[in-house]
Amino acid sequence: QSALTQPRSVSGSPGQSVTISCTGTSSDVGGYNYVSWYQQHPGKAPKLLIYDVTKWPSGVPDRFSGSKSGNTASLTISGLQAEDEADYYCCSWAGRNTWVFGGGTKLSVL
Amino acid sequence: EVQLVESGGGLVQPGGSLRLSCAASGFTFSDIWMSWVRQAPGKGLEWVANINQDGSMKNYGDSVKGRFTISRDNAKNSLYLQMSSLRAEDTAVYYCAKYLGRNFDYWGQGTLVTVSS
C-alpha cells in the first residue's frame, strides 16, 4: 500500500487555472475508476471535492474537475479564488476493500 | 444533516491501548460502510480500516493490521476503533468517515491520539 505521488506544492494567481497530478499504479489509480479528491483547510476535516474520477458531490462548484489517464489522475481548479488555498489529497480504491491516499499538495494562491 | 463526532483520543504510553468512538447521525448508519482515516501531525492522510454494514467484513491498512480492531454497534449508531500495542508512529488525528460508494463523503472533526512516554 504505497502512497500515491502528488507534487508537494503548486501555486497560481486569482482567476488562473492549476492542475494537481496524482500518480499511482495499475493496481490502484490505473486499475479502477474510483479516484477521489479532498480539500483540507488548516485545522479542518477533509472535504470531498470529486469522486469516481469525474463526479461532483452536491454543493461543489464545477470550477473543480477531475480526469484520469493511465495511472495518473488530475484535479484541475479553474478561476482560482483566495479560499481555494488549502491542501489537496487524492485517494484511490486499491482493490480488496483497501484505499490509498496521495501525500498531499499545498495550493498557494498568490 | 450528517454528523460524525469522534471521541476517546488522548495521551497514551507506548505499548498501551485506547478505544476511539464515532457517534453518527443524519443518515441510516446500518446501511453504510464506515472507515477510520488518520493524519499524523503535519503529514498526509492514511487509510486505517473499514467495516461493512453488519460488521461481518473488516479490512485494515498494513501499518495497523494485527494491532487495531474496527467494530460497530448499529443499535447505537456508533463506530469504534480499538487500538493496542500503540507506537509513537500511531500519533495522529483519527477521523471517522462515511462512504459514498468507494469514496469518503463525510468526515468527522477528528480526535487526537498522542503516543508518548
Side-chain angles (χ1 to χ4, degrees):
Chain A
Q1 295 173 350
S2 299
L4 307 175
T5 301
Q6 297 181 232
R8 292 184 67 94
S9 65
V10 298
S11 62
S13 300
Q16 287 186 334
S17 295
V18 295
T19 296
I20 299 171
S21 61
C22 169
T23 301
T25 69
S26 58
S27 296
D28 38 62
V29 174
Y32 313 96
N33 287 322
Y34 297 121
V35 176
S36 50
W37 289 90
Y38 302 86
Q39 177 190 61
Q40 186 180 36
H41 287 105
K44 300 295 187 182
K47 172 189 173 183
L48 178 64
L49 288 179
I50 297 288
Y51 69 99
D52 293 352
V53 180
T54 61
K55 299 177 182 177
W56 291 277
S58 173
V60 173
D62 59 7
R63 299 189 298 107
F64 297 90
S65 61
S67 63
K68 191 186 84 166
S69 177
N71 295 337
T72 298
S74 299
L75 173 71
T76 297
I77 309 171
S78 58
L80 267 179
Q81 300 178 3
E83 57 262 36
D84 296 334
E85 186 160 293
D87 293 326
Y88 292 83
Y89 294 91
C90 63
C91 180
S92 175
W93 194 61
R96 294 183 293 175
N97 287 319
T98 63
W99 275 257
V100 60
F101 282 91
T105 299
K106 182 176 181 59
L107 169 63
S108 298
V109 180
L110 305 173
Chain B
E1 178 193 4
V2 171
Q3 284 199 318
L4 298 168
V5 180
E6 301 93 338
S7 60
L11 176 64
V12 60
Q13 291 190 338
S17 298
L18 206 59
R19 188 196 197 206
L20 306 183
S21 299
C22 171
S25 61
F27 64 100
T28 306
F29 181 74
S30 58
D31 284 352
I32 304 292
W33 279 72
M34 296 292 296
S35 187
W36 289 96
V37 178
R38 69 183 181 183
Q39 185 171 34
K43 302 296 184 181
L45 300 169
E46 180 188 12
W47 173 74
V48 172
N50 62 17
I51 187 169
N52 73 337
Q53 293 90 336
D54 65 5
S56 61
M57 293 180 61
K58 305 174 185 181
N59 301 279
Y60 299 93
D62 289 342
S63 61
V64 306
K65 206 171 292 184
R67 300 186 299 122
F68 290 11
T69 301
I70 190 171
S71 62
R72 66 192 296 162
D73 185 335
N74 288 340
K76 295 182 177 179
N77 287 345
S78 293
L79 177 72
Y80 306 102
L81 186 67
Q82 178 68 47
M83 304 184 295
S84 60
S85 302
L86 283 162
R87 308 165 179 165
E89 54 265 36
D90 295 319
T91 294
V93 173
Y94 284 75
Y95 294 102
C96 161
K98 167 187 170 292
Y99 278 102
L100 168 67
R102 290 186 170 89
N103 312 275
F104 309 99
D105 65 340
Y106 284 94
W107 301 61
Q109 285 305 303
T111 186
L112 176 63
V113 173
T114 302
V115 183
S116 175
S117 54

